[in-house]
Amino acid sequence: IRHSYVEILDAKTKDKLCFLDKVEPNATIGEIKSMFHKSHPQWYPARQSIRLDPKGKSLKDEDVLQNLPVGTTATFYFRDLGAQISWVTVFLTEYTGPLLIYLMFYFRVPFIYAPKYDFTTSKHWVVHLACMCHSFHYVKRLLETLFVHRFSHGTMPLRNIFKNCSYYWGFAAWMAYYINHPLYTPPIYGEQQIRLALIIFLFCQIGNFSIHIALRNLRPPGSKTRKIPYPTKNPFTWIFLLVSCPNYTYELGSWLGFTLMTQCVPVAFFTLVGFIQMTVWAKGKHRSYLKEFRDYPPLRSPILPFIL
């Protein structure tokens, strides 16, 4: 077997960091990262970005040395991606926060409202219903993170967790403060409005879960293969005929339901900000589907059927 030589340079300074001799031609980038890690223990594989060009795109772990446009001595450039944290850890932290923060306001723990309201409960049943819905939503997300989602990327930069947590935790506190406030007033159309809102919320939660299951079943365990998602026997997935990312469509619907139920400005604002962010993600996903699959169904929109 012809062995290859691999040299790894720093992408910024062009200093030689590592020279690997006797590398098998069928070695993957993932294996080369592991070898590099042995000589530089501070850079574990998830921190490494290995590229053919200092300013180029990162190579995938699955890429095989002999399939890359390199000679017998391959020169790669290394960039440190910074401290990494697993997606599961990120999601569990992101979602446990809102669950517990909301409950602190619901139980009116001291130092939030005036002392005379400590540990009192609201006289409006919609406040108790809203707490059940909010808690249900985040418990669902936590269970999905543990048992449903398969992550194609194992890690993300550690700094992202601070950004993401401040978003979810901050909004949960802002919403909970007003919904559980002793002066909170229930929705203007009363019981009918709350009932309709609850139906919308639950319908969309079931829909969102159905999409997550359908997406999970597309990807066999341990693989990174991507396929076009199609409707299944479950009627909640039939929206795939019209939308590329119906998980976001249902998520938006859930929060619109919660906004209608609580008739609360911070909730409406959270829904709007979430909608803008999900639209950005959905458009990106839609674009990558179109790029990757020539036979991608032309009728689909990213998030809202025929509109967006």
Side-chain angles (χ1 to χ4, degrees), residues 99 102-108 113 117 119-136 172 175-187 190-191 193-195 197-198 201 257-264 267:
L99 181 63
Y102 193 102
L103 289 171
M104 281 170 50
F105 286 88
Y106 174 74
F107 289 115
R108 296 179 177 168
Y113 306 113
Y117 295 115
F119 298 115
T120 56
T121 53
S122 172
K123 59 180 185 288
H124 306 298
W125 64 278
V126 66
V127 172
H128 309 300
L129 180 66
C131 181
M132 287 189 269
C133 289
H134 190 276
S135 303
F136 173 82
M175 294 192 290
Y177 176 80
Y178 285 99
I179 297 169
N180 298 293
H181 198 287
L183 301 178
Y184 170 81
T185 51
E191 208 161 308
Q193 181 172 338
I194 298 163
R195 287 229 168 104
L198 179 63
F201 177 83
F258 196 66
T259 305
L260 186 66
M261 181 188 298
T262 56
Q263 201 175 303
C264 187
V267 182

Side-chain angles (χ1 to χ4, degrees), residues 139-169:
V139 167
K140 167 185 166 291
R141 281 196 179 186
L142 287 166
L143 293 173
E144 285 175 337
T145 301
L146 290 171
F147 303 113
V148 178
H149 295 319
R150 295 203 172 115
F151 299 100
S152 53
H153 306 286
T155 64
M156 71 191 281
L158 181 63
R159 57 184 174 272
N160 284 19
I161 198 169
F162 301 108
K163 188 180 75 194
N164 293 18
C165 284
S166 51
Y167 170 75
Y168 282 108
W169 296 22

Side-chain angles (χ1 to χ4, degrees), residues 5-80:
Y5 300 102
V6 171
E7 61 171 2
I8 297 177
L9 311 184
D10 186 304
K12 285 183 188 149
T13 62
K14 311 289 183 287
D15 295 340
K16 189 185 269 189
L17 296 173
C18 178
F19 185 80
L20 305 168
D21 54 353
K22 298 199 175 65
V23 180
E24 303 283 339
N26 60 354
T28 63
I29 292 296
E31 288 161 352
I32 290 168
K33 284 182 179 179
S34 300
M35 296 176 207
F36 181 48
H37 179 219
K38 285 197 182 85
S39 63
H40 294 79
Q42 74 273 32
W43 294 317
Y44 45 90
R47 276 190 86 140
Q48 301 174 26
S49 161
I50 301 288
R51 43 190 80 181
L52 289 166
D53 180 77
K55 292 194 170 65
K57 280 180 75 168
S58 298
L59 295 165
K60 294 190 179 79
D61 282 358
E62 309 85 79
D63 289 338
V64 179
L65 189 57
Q66 62 192 9
N67 301 344
L68 293 168
V70 290
T72 38
T73 302
T75 304
F76 292 117
Y77 294 91
F78 158 80
R79 278 195 78 144
D80 179 14

Side-chain angles (χ1 to χ4, degrees), residues 134 137-138 141 175 251-259 270-271:
H134 190 276
H137 175 77
Y138 282 105
R141 281 196 179 186
M175 294 192 290
E251 182 76 6
L252 172 64
S254 295
W255 288 106
L256 286 171
F258 196 66
T259 305
F270 179 65
T271 305

Side-chain angles (χ1 to χ4, degrees), residues 183-229:
L183 301 178
Y184 170 81
T185 51
I188 190 161
Y189 294 108
E191 208 161 308
Q192 270 107 328
Q193 181 172 338
I194 298 163
R195 287 229 168 104
L196 173 65
L198 179 63
I199 291 165
I200 293 170
F201 177 83
L202 291 174
F203 178 87
C204 290
Q205 288 287 283
I206 297 165
N208 178 271
F209 177 72
S210 301
I211 301 299
H212 286 156
I213 294 290
L215 291 173
R216 175 203 164 91
N217 293 340
L218 271 187
R219 181 180 280 161
S223 80
K224 293 189 179 183
T225 50
R226 281 150 61 93
K227 298 184 199 135
I228 301 175

